[in-house]
Amino acid sequence: MEWNFLAVMRDFDLLMLGLVNTLKITGLALFFGIPIGLMLALSRLSTWRIPSGIAAFIIEIFRTTPPLVQLFWFFFALPILVDIRMTPTIAAVVTFSIQSSAFFAEIFRGGILSIDKGQWEGAKAIGMTYPQSLRRIILPQAIKRMIPAFMERSIELLKTTTLVSTVAYADLMFQANEVAQKTFRPLEVYTIVALIYFVLIFSVSQLSIVIERHLAKSGEGTVH
Amino acid sequence: MGHAWDFATIFQNWFALWAGLKGTVFIFLITVFLGLSGGLIVGILRYAPSRWVNLAARAFVEVFRNTPVLVQIIWFYYAFPILTGIETDPFLAAVLGISLNTMAFSAEIYRAGIQSIDLGQWDAGKAIGMTYNQTLRRIILPVAIKQVLPALTNRGIEVFKMSTLASVVGYVETLNQAKLIADLNFNPIEAYTGVAIIFFVVLYPVVQGTYVLERILRRGDQ
Amino acid sequence: MSEIIRIENMHKSYGDLEVLKGINMSVGSNETVVLLGSSGSGKSTLLRCVNFMEEPTVGKVYLNGDLLGSERDGAMQYKDTELCRLRSRIGMVFQHFNLFPHKTVMENVMEGQIIVLGRDKAEAESKAMLQLIRVGLAEKALEYPSRLSGGQKQRVAIARALAMDPEVMLFDEVTSALDPELVGEVLKTMRQLAEEGMTMICVTHELGFAYHVANRVLFLNDGAILEEGLPQDILKLPKTKRMREFMEGHSLFKLPD
């Protein structure tokens, strides 16, 4: 058995295309997932039972069921229920936007609840409405605390997007399969792809550790 | 909604689904056992005073935490046999991928638990003449493991969800049995909704149980 | 002297627990009223009902002659927008300051003016400066609250409330969380405000402040006003047994006259 990386290198551009698509899906999922997560969190926190209940339901379903099941459901089942033309891209973006939003919702909720009640009181006492208090006083303080959890979840999302290869979305994993079949060199292909993922994810992880350390230094004390 | 829900065909194919469920539970039990116990060993190695052992464990953890588990499973299925000459069937590939992945994640959980134990406990063991290993085993670990039980339970839940990935390399578990049923009976909605319900019904109580566990542990500390 | 705050038959219950049992209270302009009582007497709850930080279960509240809320089926109903506007007309200072840690002192004092009152930035800034000078903290304007002492934080909190040009100021045990040597500077600021004519309602344990600065003292016990009158009368000659016990408990370690 000899290693032959040259065969793989010739199709490196295919792998790079896959990488770009992986980043695209992750980016889109974050782009939609974070605001949806905030909305879910605010619904969950609201005192009205119906929005709170619906949000809790969505959050629990998407956190408790496996992402692959969710992806298959959106790709195979949804088009029958709702008359839309389903593509791998749509299924991928929809699945991972909602899936990540459920996790982001819990991060938002935890962050908002962690802010001292006195801050709500201070804002209320000068006549601020609930949305004003949330936007100007609570969220700015909460966001700083939530950044580590956000980064961790985003990295998880990056890893989870490999699932889109199962519905033929041309991400890095899918391209790896294609190139491996094409070159008959699965060992080299999959090892290189694993390496690419590793370098990507490890770098982002290290970056997030640096950011966390920087945040901790800038004083995250609960001051009144 | 305009669609006639038809769960009857699902129930008619219960035999296929049952085979899938057995597959899911089986691979779950194996991977969670290997993952959490192997992880304990790696976690202890991560905390070891020897620099090389520490580094080797760290390398293992970083490799398996920073690559997606699906990549690992597929690597073990296609690449590993070429490298080592050992044939990996879907089951073995999935077990290797998921267990090693879980070992890496749980190693960090155990390490954090050990690290959170007050250093005075180590001193106390040392002072009565215990060796490092004795102190670790008899004084540190019992407390550390108890403290990280919620995190370990969460990891267990993740492992259960990961079992669906084994379907990608063809292992017979719930999801691909559902796909089989869906493809044969043209009822993907019922099939996949059914699978989602099964996973939810199994995992939701466990998730709630974890919260209860956390609360009990917190109260015990006071 | 016009009546700034009028409270009629206020009751407040939390579930089965009734904390306020029929309070009638009137505060005139320029008056400084002190609410005394042991914990559980309802004095903080009463104060917090004035600006509807808590909503009374029963009772009517008038601000400057205007009845708040609308009556429907025998019960009072309040709209959120009305309550927000009300709170912008009443200033409140808290025991734990509740300053916004992610904003500078100046920004803290400007925040309500810009967001709630709609003043433009320049006007808010100059008014904020005015209040900071008034409480003696102009030089700390660009600092963050974490860099201030407790007494300084509390004075900033007072400035933040004053910047809204309130018709009445509410003080909720504002010195209880301070180190003893920092209490003085806050009480001094409050006395200054009273002398400048601000209408004030204070919940406090500082009997010296009550004696020397208050126009009227109300002693609450078990959700009702037990005694009411001039500080000189009430504090020196308590009429009820309960208040006598209260005074004794507070004067045990006073320096001999």
Side-chain angles (χ1 to χ4, degrees), chain A residues 160-219:
Chain A
T160 313
T161 55
T162 47
L163 267 56
V164 302
S165 60
T166 61
V167 293
Y169 181 82
D171 77 324
L172 182 55
M173 181 81 254
F174 182 80
Q175 295 297 80
N177 291 332
E178 295 287 289
V179 176
Q181 279 169 25
K182 187 167 164 230
T183 62
F184 294 103
R185 299 218 144 262
L187 175 59
E188 291 86 339
V189 174
Y190 288 122
T191 306
I192 288 183
V193 168
L195 206 65
I196 296 175
Y197 272 114
F198 179 78
V199 167
L200 177 66
I201 295 169
F202 186 70
S203 322
V204 179
S205 285
Q206 294 305 106
L207 180 67
S208 86
I209 292 177
V210 167
I211 294 178
E212 261 177 76
R213 222 171 278 160
H214 178 80
L215 283 173
K217 231 184 289 163
S218 81

Side-chain angles (χ1 to χ4, degrees), chain A residues 13-121:
Chain A
D13 57 331
L14 283 176
L15 293 180
M16 281 301 104
L17 175 66
L19 178 59
V20 166
N21 284 330
T22 290
L23 294 173
K24 222 195 313 181
I25 284 291
T26 309
L28 284 172
L30 285 175
F31 181 75
F32 291 113
I34 293 179
I36 296 177
L38 179 58
M39 284 196 302
L40 283 173
L42 293 177
S43 303
R44 184 84 182 79
L45 287 169
S46 97
T47 42
W48 292 322
R49 237 176 306 151
I50 296 181
S52 178
I54 295 178
F57 181 72
I58 296 177
I59 293 172
E60 286 309 323
I61 293 274
F62 280 91
R63 276 173 24 120
T64 316
T65 49
L68 192 56
V69 174
Q70 296 164 13
L71 183 62
F72 277 20
W73 196 92
F74 279 110
F75 190 66
F76 294 113
L78 188 64
I80 301 185
L81 221 50
V82 178
D83 185 28
I84 53 170
R85 210 199 53 177
M86 183 54 70
T87 66
T89 312
I90 296 178
V93 173
V94 170
T95 306
F96 291 109
S97 299
I98 304 182
Q99 195 253 5
S100 60
S101 76
F103 285 95
F104 288 133
E106 286 298 278
I107 298 175
F108 273 120
R109 193 167 76 98
I112 292 174
L113 286 178
S114 77
I115 299 297
D116 189 51
K117 275 231 168 80
Q119 290 296 300
W120 289 99
E121 302 244 302

Side-chain angles (χ1 to χ4, degrees), chain C residues 80-221:
Chain C
D80 274 339
T81 46
E82 185 183 11
L83 292 181
C84 283
R85 214 171 334 119
L86 168 76
R87 293 190 199 110
S88 67
R89 294 167 66 188
I90 300 180
M92 183 167 224
V93 186
F94 299 90
Q95 181 175 355
H96 293 289
F97 333 126
N98 294 338
L99 292 181
F100 307 135
H102 58 305
K103 295 180 183 288
T104 62
V105 163
M106 173 62 86
E107 284 165 354
N108 262 273
V109 183
M110 283 167 63
E111 182 72 6
Q113 295 185 66
I114 298 176
I115 299 298
V116 180
L117 298 180
R119 292 180 186 158
D120 65 61
K121 202 160 159 244
E123 185 190 356
E125 195 168 348
S126 64
K127 295 216 162 171
M129 212 28 168
L130 220 68
Q131 300 304 339
L132 285 174
I133 293 173
R134 195 173 174 188
V135 303
L137 282 172
E139 77 272 13
K140 298 283 185 188
L142 298 176
E143 295 272 16
Y144 281 91
S146 56
R147 312 283 304 256
L148 305 181
S149 73
Q152 291 169 330
K153 283 184 213 174
Q154 201 57 297
R155 285 187 283 147
V156 171
I158 294 175
R160 180 175 67 177
L162 289 175
M164 305 290 284
D165 289 326
E167 291 158 58
V168 58
M169 285 281 282
L170 307 178
F171 294 86
D172 191 357
E173 298 212 35
V174 302
T175 53
S176 299
L178 296 177
D179 288 337
E181 73 261 26
L182 300 173
V183 168
E185 67 195 63
V186 175
L187 291 182
K188 197 171 110 177
T189 306
M190 289 167 69
R191 177 178 203 152
Q192 180 190 317
L193 277 180
E195 283 166 5
E196 286 168 7
M198 175 63 74
T199 311
M200 296 166 38
I201 310 178
C202 311
V203 169
T204 184
H205 290 292
E206 296 290 330
L207 297 186
F209 177 83
Y211 187 83
H212 292 286
V213 181
N215 302 110
R216 222 175 357 124
V217 169
L218 272 66
F219 178 72
L220 270 83
N221 185 53

Side-chain angles (χ1 to χ4, degrees), chain B residues 109-133:
Chain B
I109 295 173
Y110 288 116
R111 185 182 65 82
I114 296 174
Q115 220 154 325
S116 74
I117 301 296
D118 188 42
L119 284 173
Q121 293 290 302
W122 290 96
D123 285 346
K126 200 163 162 188
I128 55 178
M130 284 190 174
T131 65
Y132 178 88
N133 283 322

